[in-house]
Each structure stands twice: as C-alpha cells, then as structure tokens.
Amino acid sequence: MTGPAGASRFRARSLLVYLALPAALLAQAERLPLVAVAALAVGLAPLAGLAGFKALAMSWHWPNNRPWYVGDEVYVRTTVTNNSRRTTPVLTVAAESPGLSLPTVTLPTLRPGETANVTAPFTLVARRGPAPMSRTTHAHNRLQGSGKAVKLAAVGTLMPAVRPRPVPPPARLLEQLSRPTEDGYGTGRKGGSDPLSLRRFASGDPVSAVHWRSTARAGVPIVMEREQLASGMLVLLVAASGEGAAWEAAIGRAAGLVRGASTLAVPVAVLAAAPAQQLAGNPSHDLVQDWLAGLGVAGPADPGLVGQAVRLAAGGVVAVLSCEPLLARAVAEAGADRRNVVDLLAAPW
C-alpha cells in the first residue's frame, strides 16, 4: 500500500511489533495474564497513531478583500481534514509567522474524512512584508492525558504584508504636493500652458481662451484648450534607517504621504541607499505601501542619490526618511525648493 495513510499505518504496525516482543517476555517472566499484555498494546496504540498526523490536511484562511495595517484585528480560520483511516486525538495547533503572535487553536477529535473549522482573532502588532507560516501540532493522548509535540516544516502559506498605519499629512503639505509646476508632467487635462487642442467657441468659455489667429483664419471664434501641468513626483529618499518608536512614526508619515499622493493622482518614486531596497520603474501607490511594510536596513546616502532625488521630483516633493540629521538640508542645497523638502523623522511635520 502506498501514500501517506499507508505509510503511517505501516509505521504504526512496526512500532507495535517492536513493542510486542518485550511485552511478551515481560509477561512470561512476571507470569502476567494475556489480558494484561493486550491492555498494554491497546494503551500504546494512540502513541503509535501519532505518525498518522501527516495524513491531516491543514490550511488557513483570512480576508483578502482589504490591506492589513498595524493595529488591525484579523480573523483567521484554521481548517483541518482527517484523511487517515483512524480517529485523531484532540489537536492543539500553534501557528507562527515572523513578527506576529498568532492564536493557538484546539481542534476536536476527527473521524476519518471529517473536517473541522476553528476561527480565532489576532492583532497585527508590527509591520512586516509578506512572510511564511509554520506550525507546531500538539497531539494529546486520550488515555493518559499527556501530550506530544510534532514540529512540522513551513507549509508554504504566505501571509500578507502588514502595512504601517498611515499618518495623515497636514493640509499645507497636500496643497504643496498638488501644486502645478513648470517642471511637472502633462496630465492631458485642460488648464495649463501647453497647447492641447483647438475647437469652436462654446457658451461659457472665457474670452481670454479665444485664439485670435485661428479665429481670423476660420472666420468663427476658435478656442485653444491648454494642457494642465500637474505637480512633480513625490520622491521617497530612504537612507540610514533607524529603529524604535520615532522611526516607526516616520514610516507612518511616509505611508500617509503616499496615500495623499494616491488621492491626488501624483506619482511616487522610491530611492533607497541599499540597492536591494530600490523600487524600479513607476511603482503603484499600493506597491509602495507594501514596500514600506517590509522596509529593512538602508545604508548612508551618497551625493549622487541626493541629486537624483531632486531631478526625479521635477519640482515636486522630496520626503526624506532617514536618521541622518543633515540629509534633508543636503537635498535643499542640491537644488530643491526648501518648501518641497520634508524631513519625515522630524516632529511635527
């Protein structure tokens, strides 16, 4: 017989065979009745059945319809199906994942083919990126009341990222973030300085919008729509990371700025001193939030990185996330408007 269930039964029978010989010798030496030997074998049978735990199918389920943030309470459902041919004892499952303290759940006895579901809440206590889970199963001997722990390897279940709780930025900073600049990118909307299209005058158009040269050619009033320039990018410059409550608060401010940029449709870019922490291309706001969740150690900033942040911002906001006290000043000295440089570690904003 092959498969996990067959292998478990084979190991259980092998254990009973090894126990049978010393039990028989003991019974012969001590003149124990055959009934006592049978009782001894029955008493050891649940321990032999511990090998059958590998025939249990275990999975976890949690809500995937929203992001996870530090401080949230999440309900996790543990589902276990008994795929073996024997009834399982009471099981206590302790799940672990880096940075999180998960609840311990107790499952009832399961007959062959039975499934049990246990739902328990736990609090997200710290930010972190997506991380695997591992589990420790405690099997309780029903005859003696004792327990045996079976440590199982990681089951490949990846828990979502836990994002930092966003700290809303002040109104003046949001206004600065959304202010159009000459170096800003084109949005394709009306209301800037670059020509977008020509069309006939319509009721409600301001007279200042009339393009007189085109009007003279066409013989009817012509209006020139102009493209609206948005602000530059929000650039997160991350270097010389820290630790502790002040550092976590700074990361929360960064998350608040990214959320504000998302609301205003302002793109965001990330520059980090550690190459492994870089986010290339034009990352989405959600991707940056998950990146902040797993932000680790960053090295010191070099002058080239500072200049790159100023150029990339294109007149927008450079948010400095660093424990280097002079880094924000270096960004301003590299050509950025001081009003557009934000030191996220400073409190208040």
Side-chain angles (χ1 to χ4, degrees):
M1 182 177 295
T2 60
S8 299
R9 287 192 293 276
F10 176 77
R11 287 191 293 270
R13 286 195 297 269
S14 299
L15 178 60
L16 289 178
V17 169
Y18 285 123
L19 291 174
L21 182 59
L25 295 176
L26 178 65
Q28 184 177 6
E30 300 294 335
R31 293 181 173 80
L32 295 176
L34 184 61
V35 175
V37 176
L40 178 63
V42 172
L44 292 173
L47 291 179
L50 288 176
F53 286 156
K54 292 186 178 180
L56 295 179
M58 186 175 298
S59 61
W60 289 274
H61 311 271
W62 45 74
N64 290 318
N65 57 344
R66 62 180 179 86
W68 289 7
Y69 292 98
V70 173
D72 285 353
E73 186 178 66
V74 178
Y75 282 81
V76 175
R77 186 175 80 252
T78 303
T79 301
V80 178
T81 301
N82 182 9
N83 294 324
S84 68
R85 293 187 178 181
R86 66 175 70 238
T87 299
T88 65
V90 174
L91 299 177
T92 300
V93 181
E96 300 172 353
S97 190
L100 296 180
S101 178
L102 303 175
T104 298
V105 298
T106 301
L107 300 168
T109 59
L110 296 176
R111 293 190 294 270
E114 254 190 334
T115 297
N117 292 281
V118 177
T119 301
F122 73 99
T123 302
L124 306 176
V125 296
R127 65 174 181 86
R128 39 146 264 193
M133 294 179 65
S134 60
R135 67 188 184 199
T136 301
T137 303
H138 292 269
H140 295 275
N141 188 311
R142 289 169 295 179
L143 296 181
Q144 300 178 5
S146 62
K148 179 177 180 181
V150 181
K151 180 67 176 179
L152 300 177
V155 294
T157 302
L158 198 65
M159 299 195 74
V162 181
R163 298 179 178 180
R165 178 71 64 181
V167 178
R172 61 172 179 78
L173 191 52
L174 289 176
E175 181 183 356
Q176 191 73 17
L177 190 63
S178 61
R179 182 174 298 146
T181 67
E182 294 182 358
D183 297 328
Y185 61 94
T187 64
R189 298 192 299 269
K190 296 184 295 182
S193 59
D194 294 341
L196 181 63
S197 65
L198 295 172
R199 62 170 176 80
R200 297 189 62 170
F201 185 88
S203 177
D205 287 335
V207 177
S208 60
V210 175
H211 191 257
W212 299 108
R213 183 176 300 177
S214 300
T215 298
R217 290 198 197 100
V220 293
I222 298 296
V223 172
M224 176 180 287
E225 292 183 339
R226 296 184 179 276
E227 184 178 15
Q228 181 183 12
L229 290 179
S231 64
M233 304 182 78
L234 166 63
V235 177
L236 286 180
L237 176 57
V238 182
S241 56
E243 60 182 8
W247 178 251
E248 294 301 322
I251 293 179
R253 295 187 188 103
L257 263 181
V258 173
R259 174 178 284 184
S262 175
T263 303
L264 298 170
V266 173
V268 61
V270 173
L271 293 177
Q277 295 283 357
Q278 293 279 4
L279 273 182
N282 299 311
S284 67
H285 297 85
D286 275 342
L287 182 59
V288 176
Q289 294 283 20
D290 284 342
W291 180 87
L292 286 170
L295 176 62
V297 177
D302 58 76
L305 196 65
V306 172
Q308 185 181 354
V310 175
R311 291 190 300 271
L312 191 58
V317 173
V318 179
V320 179
L321 182 58
S322 174
C323 62
E324 291 186 27
L326 302 180
L327 186 56
R329 182 185 301 178
V331 173
E333 292 174 351
D337 189 330
R338 291 185 180 274
R339 295 173 300 174
N340 292 355
V341 181
V342 181
D343 188 349
L344 293 170
L345 198 59
W349 293 79

